[in-house]
Amino acid sequence: MMQFYKKRDFGTFISDSFTFFKLYGKNYFKNYILLNGLLLILMVTLFVFGYRELLMPIFGSNMSGESYYFESYFEENIGMFAVMGVITFLLFLIMMIVNYLFPVFYLKRLAEGELKIKTDDILGDFKKNAGKIGKLCLGMIFVVTPLSFIIMGISYAMILIVIGFFLILLIYPVLFNVITFLMYDYFNSKRGFFESLSYSIRSQFSYTNGREKSPFWKYWGSTVVISIILYVITTIFTAIPMIFFMLKITTTAPDANFEQNPFAGSFGVMMFVMYGISMLVSFFLSNMLYVNSGLMYYDSRRDFHQKVELEEIETIGINE
């Protein structure tokens, strides 16, 4: 059984993230698929068929020199675009809620000592915290997202003076950690949204007891390393369709139909299916980032765990 409330250094965060999935991966992904699997399949299906219907006519029109085809195609199918846009937004919103909060509820139960976690348990957590989830969504949309865009916009603007590149490399992992710490703290403590947001920012730079050195660099470095590992893996999957595409172009005899629209026919379906699979892989792999952030959060909350233990010890004599 893994200990969650303990001090970890940079290397331990990386190794424990892999150890977590070695110990709990089978049960974790079983519950993850049961809760989020249908949503993921619907998203991939929408991507494969929806974007195929969108890109095929546009690509074909560009090859034929029809410069205004996209405008006319959009006007003729505006209803379809509107419906697809609404469905995509709703599916994406629900999927993001499940994708982000599933690790929060799962690790919370493990940290409390549960071992055999069932799908109904996690589903019950979602239902029990429906009100808090609604408040979290509002806070993320109207508070966190605008502030994040402002910070990212300033960083991008400063790319012109080179230092912006280093700011982006520095700020993006911190923003990710702040957002994940916010979610973990909001559902692991009795704090409100703004109190948890305040804690998630402060905890990046110092421990609650104020006696230990800043955890900033180990949190930042852990997120960067895990992100690089996941980026390399997902790049391999996304590169496979492109390799097939290049091989198809270089090995196929000149054909006006293929050159006009290479995404038509079975080859086009295979391309989009492979990209859909790469999307699924990226969603599954992203769980390692969320778990890694959870371990960092519990590292920052060792004071809370010690307080709970002291309260339990004090009640031993009372309950006897």
Side-chain angles (χ1 to χ4, degrees), residues 189-215:
S189 69
K190 296 180 180 180
R191 288 192 270 250
F193 175 83
F194 288 101
E195 290 176 305
S196 290
L197 177 59
S198 174
Y199 173 79
S200 67
I201 296 172
R202 289 183 285 107
S203 61
Q204 302 304 308
F205 303 96
S206 63
Y207 284 104
T208 304
N209 57 33
R211 295 188 298 271
E212 300 177 72
K213 67 178 183 179
S214 172

Side-chain angles (χ1 to χ4, degrees), residues 43-296:
M43 279 294 293
V44 171
T45 303
L46 189 67
F47 170 82
V48 171
F49 292 100
Y51 283 90
R52 180 170 178 265
E53 293 301 316
L54 173 64
L55 292 178
M56 282 177 58
I58 294 173
F59 193 90
S61 66
N62 290 335
M63 293 297 292
S64 303
E66 301 175 29
S67 58
Y68 295 100
Y69 182 84
F70 177 72
E71 288 83 349
S72 60
Y73 182 77
F74 181 80
E75 291 174 359
E76 293 172 1
N77 297 275
I78 189 170
M80 180 187 72
F81 283 118
V83 172
M84 284 184 59
V86 172
I87 294 174
T88 302
F89 174 76
L90 292 176
L91 281 177
F92 187 78
L93 180 63
I94 297 172
M95 190 175 66
M96 284 298 98
I97 291 173
V98 176
N99 213 50
Y100 275 107
L101 294 185
F102 175 81
V104 174
F105 293 138
Y106 193 93
L107 265 68
K108 183 176 185 291
R109 285 184 172 273
L110 284 178
E112 291 172 350
E114 291 189 42
L115 293 177
K116 296 182 179 180
I117 300 173
K118 300 179 180 179
T119 308
D120 290 340
D121 297 330
I122 305 296
L123 188 60
D125 290 334
F126 276 96
K127 292 178 179 178
K128 183 175 64 176
N129 293 282
K132 294 190 72 173
I133 291 172
K135 293 176 183 178
L136 177 68
C137 290
L138 291 175
M140 293 291 289
I141 293 171
F142 295 107
V143 178
V144 177
T145 301
L147 291 175
S148 299
F149 277 134
I150 292 171
I151 295 172
M152 289 188 294
I154 294 172
S155 301
Y156 271 113
M158 296 188 72
I159 286 180
L160 297 174
I161 56 174
V162 182
I163 195 175
F165 173 78
F166 298 101
L167 279 177
I168 290 173
L169 184 61
L170 182 68
I171 289 173
Y172 274 34
V174 177
L175 279 176
F176 177 82
N177 288 342
V178 167
I179 292 171
T180 50
F181 271 52
L182 165 62
M183 290 184 288
Y184 274 101
D185 191 70
Y186 191 53
F187 293 100
N188 278 273
S189 69
K190 296 180 180 180
R191 288 192 270 250
F193 175 83
F194 288 101
E195 290 176 305
S196 290
L197 177 59
S198 174
Y199 173 79
S200 67
I201 296 172
R202 289 183 285 107
S203 61
Q204 302 304 308
F205 303 96
S206 63
Y207 284 104
T208 304
N209 57 33
R211 295 188 298 271
E212 300 177 72
K213 67 178 183 179
S214 172
F216 178 84
W217 290 112
K218 68 177 183 180
Y219 289 172
W220 178 86
S222 177
T223 300
V224 169
V225 170
I226 295 292
S227 298
I228 292 173
I229 294 172
L230 300 188
Y231 175 77
V232 171
I233 297 173
T234 53
T235 299
I236 294 172
F237 279 92
T238 54
I240 292 174
M242 187 55 64
I243 293 172
F244 276 101
F245 181 71
M246 297 303 297
L247 288 174
K248 181 73 173 178
I249 291 178
T250 55
T251 58
T252 303
D255 184 353
N257 292 327
F258 176 76
E259 293 175 354
Q260 182 176 358
N261 194 348
F263 296 113
S266 58
F267 179 75
V269 173
M270 183 192 73
M271 284 284 294
F272 283 98
V273 168
M274 292 183 72
Y275 270 116
I277 293 173
S278 70
M279 284 178 61
L280 284 176
V281 171
S282 66
F283 275 114
F284 275 89
L285 290 177
S286 65
N287 282 278
M288 180 168 284
L289 265 177
Y290 306 142
V291 168
N292 180 63
S293 291
L295 296 178
M296 290 189 287

